[in-house]
Amino acid sequence: MAESMGQLRCTREGHGQELLQDDSVPTETSIEQKRVEQCVGTIFNMYKTHIKEPNDLQPKLKLVLERDIHTHYLRKGLQQLSEGYECLDASRPWLCYWIVHSLGLLNEPIPESVASHVCQFLARCQDVNGGFAGGPGQQPHLAPTYAAVNALCSIGTEEAFDVINREKLQDFLYSLKKTDGSFNMHLGGEVDVRSAYCAASVASLTNVLTPDLFDGTAEWIARCQNWEGGIGGVPGLEAHGGYTFCGLSALVILNRVHLLDLKSMLRWVAFRQMRFEGGFQGRCNKLVDGCYSFWQAGLMPLLHRSLHSEADPALSLTNWMFDQQAMQEYLLLCCQAPTGGLLDKPGKSRDFYHTCYCLSGLSIAQHFGGGDILHEIITGIKENRLNHTHPVYNVSPDKVAGAIMHFRQKEVPQTSRKN
Ligand SMILES: [Zn+2]
């Protein structure tokens, strides 16, 4: 299908002016940045040449999401992983979640028997004292607990819901809670904003959230927002995309976003979209990376919703507050591995983490709004369209609703605080 040259940001006259200006003072950072721009620029140029004069000798660069090869890569990963994944032996529920969620975005059903197999495996990762570990027999930890609950809710069957021991899960969350409102990632483990988000996410999905469990948490998260506008891992640290997503999402769940300076956060995240590449960086002066298409751009629906509730008249009713098309161009042209799966940036290899978060970001960029106001911006062919994702949980909105409805019928366990 021919695409008109005028439509795309990367083919526009003057796009080259977005390249980094280092004021003739090269630094390690500016040299790396220029190297990435050159690499991305070569791909954009190949695309421009290809649409101007299609020719069989040129590589076939198209704005097409290669659904079939991505699906094949994901389905294979759910059955058998290569030895390269040995280093992720303590993150196995994550692999389940990344793959199950990615297949959901691609609208690819998971056979019942495979889904059941995933449920049985995750049941083996659950600790007798609550929470999930990175693998059977390992120590329970909040990150794989989040991944396991998200994977089970994404599967959304009775069997999946029944895996979760809610009373023990609540005990586990209490055992990690600190007096200042923050949470340890695991017993004796580190404290940062991730743990607060993982705890709030699983507690809200499974209906074990109590005000007592999150007493002081919102105030602690608000202290992690710094002068840049974004959120750091703990109070006083540099703002970072992943932590900002975790902090804002946790506050949305706890219904306390007003504790943050939302406009300074919006300013920080808007400036993390790269002028030339179109994708996002995770921190100021860092390189573009496909996974931040979710961690950073995923903040935009949350900010939009929060600012909307303050009746901000400047808010658009058709677009998020970033260049949705530019990000889609980056993901489609620069982040698809030719053999399936998505990646950080050209030259890097594919993996399930980047496949999940590149696709999740692509979904955010394609769909604006919710409820009565929906506006789709699909870059490239219409078949690139992915399913929606819930911006707080990064699980399909239907599956979030299904889990909440299911667990709402059960009583909230009333464990009292032990420390
Ligand atoms: Zn990344």
Side-chain angles (χ1 to χ4, degrees):
M1 180 196 286
E3 287 132 1
S4 103
M5 290 283 283
Q7 272 183 339
L8 288 185
R9 181 178 177 274
C10 71
T11 60
R12 267 179 227 151
E13 208 61 53
H15 179 61
Q17 286 161 20
E18 308 291 351
L19 290 164
L20 175 78
Q21 306 292 325
D22 68 0
D23 300 328
S24 307
V25 185
T27 63
E28 222 172 288
T29 312
S30 71
I31 292 164
E32 274 287 286
Q33 174 61 24
K34 285 183 177 225
R35 198 184 54 77
V36 173
E37 285 176 352
Q38 204 176 21
C39 195
V40 169
T42 306
I43 293 174
F44 287 162
N45 281 333
M46 271 175 6
Y47 177 69
K48 272 189 263 188
T49 318
H50 179 76
I51 48 176
K52 243 194 268 172
E53 327 155 1
N55 168 342
D56 279 347
L57 297 173
Q58 295 154 355
K60 291 208 174 7
L61 260 186
K62 295 174 289 185
L63 269 175
V64 172
L65 180 67
E66 300 289 355
R67 311 180 74 98
D68 293 349
I69 53 169
H70 298 320
T71 302
H72 178 74
Y73 167 67
L74 290 160
R75 284 195 189 285
K76 223 174 123 209
L78 209 48
Q79 311 276 9
Q80 176 90 43
L81 291 171
S82 68
E83 57 196 32
Y85 278 92
E86 208 175 272
C87 58
L88 287 178
D89 187 54
S91 301
R92 293 173 68 185
W94 277 113
L95 289 157
C96 297
Y97 163 60
W98 294 331
I99 295 176
V100 166
H101 179 57
S102 298
L103 288 169
L105 289 170
L106 288 162
N107 205 25
E108 290 291 336
I110 297 171
E112 241 170 76
S113 62
V114 178
S116 170
H117 196 75
V118 173
C119 294
Q120 290 163 35
F121 171 71
L122 291 172
R124 288 171 52 218
C125 296
Q126 189 166 224
D127 192 81
V128 285
N129 295 316
F132 291 79
Q138 298 178 18
Q139 195 185 359
H141 187 290
L142 268 177
T145 298
Y146 166 82
V149 169
N150 266 7
L152 291 165
C153 292
S154 298
I155 291 171
T157 56
E158 283 294 315
E159 182 188 13
F161 293 143
D162 286 347
V163 168
I164 305 167
N165 184 333
R166 296 168 56 250
E167 285 74 19
K168 293 284 183 192
L169 175 62
Q170 197 191 48
D171 285 348
F172 175 62
L173 298 178
Y174 266 111
S175 74
L176 302 174
K177 176 77 188 296
K178 296 178 60 91
T179 45
D180 65 358
S182 65
F183 286 81
N184 290 107
M185 286 303 288
H186 58 93
L187 272 183
E190 74 277 22
V191 169
D192 58 51
V193 178
R194 281 176 311 157
S195 54
Y197 167 61
C198 291
S201 175
V202 299
S204 58
L205 281 173
T206 63
N207 193 27
V208 305
L209 193 152
T210 63
D212 177 54
L213 180 57
F214 290 94
D215 184 33
T217 305
E219 289 78 3
W220 183 83
I221 293 171
R223 285 175 49 218
C224 299
Q225 183 176 32
N226 76 1
W227 58 270
E228 294 175 89
I231 291 176
V234 294
L237 286 194
E238 182 187 12
H240 178 285
Y243 292 124
T244 306
F245 173 81
C246 288
L248 180 58
S249 292
L251 290 177
V252 169
I253 294 170
L254 300 173
N255 207 11
R256 303 290 297 282
V257 286
H258 63 274
L259 292 179
L260 296 169
D261 182 342
L262 294 174
K263 292 206 171 155
S264 87
M265 180 176 287
L266 172 61
R267 182 176 187 280
W268 176 79
V269 63
F271 278 99
R272 301 284 71 75
Q273 186 167 27
M274 307 303 276
R275 302 171 63 99
F276 183 75
E277 304 91 308
F280 278 76
Q281 62 184 183
R283 286 179 275 161
C284 192
N285 282 330
K286 297 279 285 184
L287 303 172
V288 68
D289 178 344
C291 66
Y292 289 107
S293 305
F294 180 75
W295 301 121
Q296 299 282 33
L299 287 163
M300 294 302 193
L302 302 173
L303 285 167
H304 218 96
R305 184 184 120 156
S306 302
L307 292 166
H308 186 71
S309 68
E310 292 173 7
D312 194 317
L315 284 174
S316 166
L317 293 177
T318 52
N319 293 77
W320 302 129
M321 290 175 279
F322 70 101
D323 191 327
Q324 289 162 253
Q325 176 155 305
M327 192 175 87
Q328 293 185 53
E329 289 167 26
Y330 175 70
L331 290 167
L332 293 170
L333 292 175
C334 302
C335 296
Q336 298 192 79
T339 49
L342 289 97
L343 40 91
D344 163 347
K345 61 174 76 55
K348 299 271 183 178
S349 32
R350 64 180 178 176
D351 58 64
F352 293 108
Y353 164 83
H354 283 93
T355 302
C356 171
Y357 291 105
C358 286
L359 290 177
S360 303
L362 188 58
S363 166
I364 297 275
Q366 289 178 342
H367 309 285
F368 171 86
D372 296 341
I373 306 170
L374 280 173
H375 183 68
E376 289 189 347
I377 301 175
I378 314 285
T379 300
I381 58 171
K382 65 180 191 314
E383 288 79 11
N384 289 349
R385 184 184 183 279
L386 292 170
N387 284 335
H388 286 251
T389 190
H390 191 296
V392 169
Y393 301 100
N394 200 20
V395 165
S396 146
D398 298 349
K399 301 289 184 177
V400 170
I404 289 174
M405 298 272 277
H406 175 87
F407 290 115
R408 189 185 282 165
Q409 296 158 18
K410 307 193 184 282
E411 300 245 324
V412 181
Q414 295 299 328
T415 314
S416 62
R417 191 168 187 160
K418 289 177 185 142
N419 53 356

